[in-house]
Amino acid sequence: MDRSDVRARFAAAVAVLGLLVTACSPAASPPPATQAPAATPAAAKPAATTAPVATTAPAAAAPTAAPTQAPAKPAATTGPSAALHVSYSNLIADNLPEWMAYESGVFKQNGLDVTLDNIASSTGIPALLSGQVQIAHLGGSETLSASAEGGDLVIVAITGPVYPFVFMAQPSIATVQDLKGKKIGVSNPGSSSDIATRVMLSKVGLDPEKDVSIVAVGSLQNRTAALLSGAIDGGLAQPPDQLALEDKGLHVIYDLAAQKLPSVGDSIVVQRSWLNSNKEVLQRYVDSIVQATALSKKNKEQSIPVLAKYLKNDDQRALGVTYDFFVGTVTPDYPVVEPEYFADAVEQLGTTNDKIKTFDLKSMLDNEFVQSAMTRKVGP
C-alpha cells in the first residue's frame, strides 16, 4: 500500500470519528430568556376640576388603602382604554360605588381612566348636557324634569332606589304636626330631597304648599348648616350628618328610610347620543359599579377609609353607622331601573309641570347594561 492510500484512509477515519463525537455530545442549551421588568402600577389620577361649576373631588394621588383585587368576574373589557369625566352631585354615601371603583382600581382594571368631580345637583344636568362630563350620578327626579323639557337623557342604573332620609327638627318641635307654619329646607326645587319632603308631609296630613314654608338652600351641605344654625326648623338628613345633628340637640321626628319606599335617588345618567356611540365603554362602567358594590359589601375595612376621604369625616363611629346604613339598606347588588321608582316624582312634579304627566318614562330608561352585568354574574 503506497503512502497516498495510507493518508486517504487515515483522513476518512478521522472524519468518521468526528461524526461520532458530535452525535454523542449533548445539544447546546439556548441562552435563558431575559425577563421583562415588572410593570409598575400607574399612579391613581388626581381628580381634576375642568369648569367653575365643579368642586374637585378629594385628591386620589395617595390611595386610602392598597388596591384590592376586583371580584374575579367577567367584565366587558374588550376595547382600548377609555378616558371618562364623571360627576356625582352630593357628598352622600350612596356614591360609595363610584368612589370605591376609583380608589380600589376597579375602573383601571376594566380599562377606564376616570376623573371624578363633585358637581352640585343644580349644575349637574347642564354639565352633562354640555358634554363637560360623559356620565353623571344625579337624582332621578332632576333627570325626569330635564327630559320632560327636551333633554335627551337616559338613566341606565339607579343606585339609590329607596329614600335614604330621616326628617330632623329643632328641639322645640316634638312631632311632625308641630311643623305647621315652620320653615323646612330642601336642596333645590324638584330635587330628591324636595320630593321626599313633600311625600313625607303628605303622608302625615300636611299640605306642602299651605301648611309649611319650603326653602331651597342649594345643597345637602347647606341644609345641614342651616339646621345647625337654626335658619330652618326642619329638614331631611342621613348618616353621618344625622349623628352630628343629634349631637347638637336636633332629633328625628319621622323615619322615611325605615319604610323603604321606592324612589329615584342616585342614578347613573348619560346623554343618548353619547350612549349610542359608546355602548361598550358604558358597559365597562356599569360593570365597574356592580363590582365595586360587591367589593364594598364584602370589605368594610377597606370601605371605611374611602368614606372618610370623600365625606371628609374621621369619626369612626359615624363612618361605621354610615356604612351599615347605606351598604346594608340602600345600595342594591344590581342597580336595576324600574318605572315604579318614579311614582312619587311624577306625582309631585306633575302638580306644577303638565309635561311631566304626559312624559313617556320608558323612553328615558335603559336596563340593557345592568341586565348584561346580571346575566354575566359580574356581581354576587
Side-chain angles (χ1 to χ4, degrees), residues 113-299:
D113 182 14
V114 173
T115 297
L116 280 178
D117 270 335
N118 175 211
I119 300 179
S121 57
S122 58
T123 49
I125 293 288
L128 183 61
L129 289 173
S130 70
Q132 177 190 341
V133 300
Q134 290 79 52
I135 299 175
H137 290 252
L138 295 162
S141 56
E142 293 97 323
T143 306
L144 171 59
S145 294
S147 296
E149 294 298 330
D152 202 8
L153 301 175
V154 182
I155 295 178
V156 298
I158 298 178
T159 56
V162 296
Y163 289 115
F165 302 116
V166 294
F167 192 92
M168 303 201 69
Q170 301 295 343
S172 59
I173 298 174
T175 70
V176 288
Q177 297 305 320
D178 295 333
L179 290 173
K180 283 188 177 181
K182 303 298 184 181
K183 291 169 60 177
I184 296 175
V186 300
S187 295
N188 293 287
S191 66
S192 299
S193 64
D194 183 35
I195 301 296
T197 296
R198 293 174 183 275
V199 167
M200 185 273 293
L201 291 170
S202 298
K203 282 184 174 295
V204 298
L206 296 178
D207 187 330
E209 301 298 331
K210 298 177 181 179
D211 293 330
V212 299
S213 176
I214 295 180
V215 180
V217 297
S219 68
L220 163 67
Q221 289 73 31
N222 291 349
R223 187 167 69 247
T224 301
L227 283 168
L228 288 171
S229 69
I232 56 177
D233 299 300
L236 297 175
Q238 63 278 304
D241 298 319
Q242 176 186 343
L243 278 71
L245 291 167
E246 288 175 343
D247 289 344
K248 296 297 183 180
L250 284 88
H251 63 127
V252 176
I253 61 172
Y254 195 89
D255 190 343
L256 202 56
Q259 300 181 40
K260 293 189 177 297
L261 298 174
S263 75
V264 281
D266 190 60
S267 305
I268 300 177
V269 189
V270 297
Q271 286 199 74
R272 191 181 306 277
S273 58
W274 185 86
L275 180 156
N276 290 336
S277 301
N278 297 273
K279 286 194 172 185
E280 189 271 336
V281 173
L282 182 55
Q283 185 65 66
R284 281 191 262 163
Y285 187 85
V286 172
D287 284 357
S288 298
I289 294 300
V290 172
Q291 289 176 323
T293 298
L295 179 61
S296 66
K297 290 191 175 189
K298 291 194 298 185
N299 196 331

Side-chain angles (χ1 to χ4, degrees), residues 17 26 36 64 104 106 150 159 166 184 199 244 257 277 279 311 315 317:
L17 180 61
T64 55
S104 68
V106 170
T159 56
V166 294
I184 296 175
V199 167
S277 301
K279 286 194 172 185
L311 297 178
D315 183 335
R317 176 183 69 102

Side-chain angles (χ1 to χ4, degrees), residues 16-29:
V16 171
L17 180 61
L19 290 172
L20 290 172
V21 170
T22 301
C24 295
S25 299
S29 300

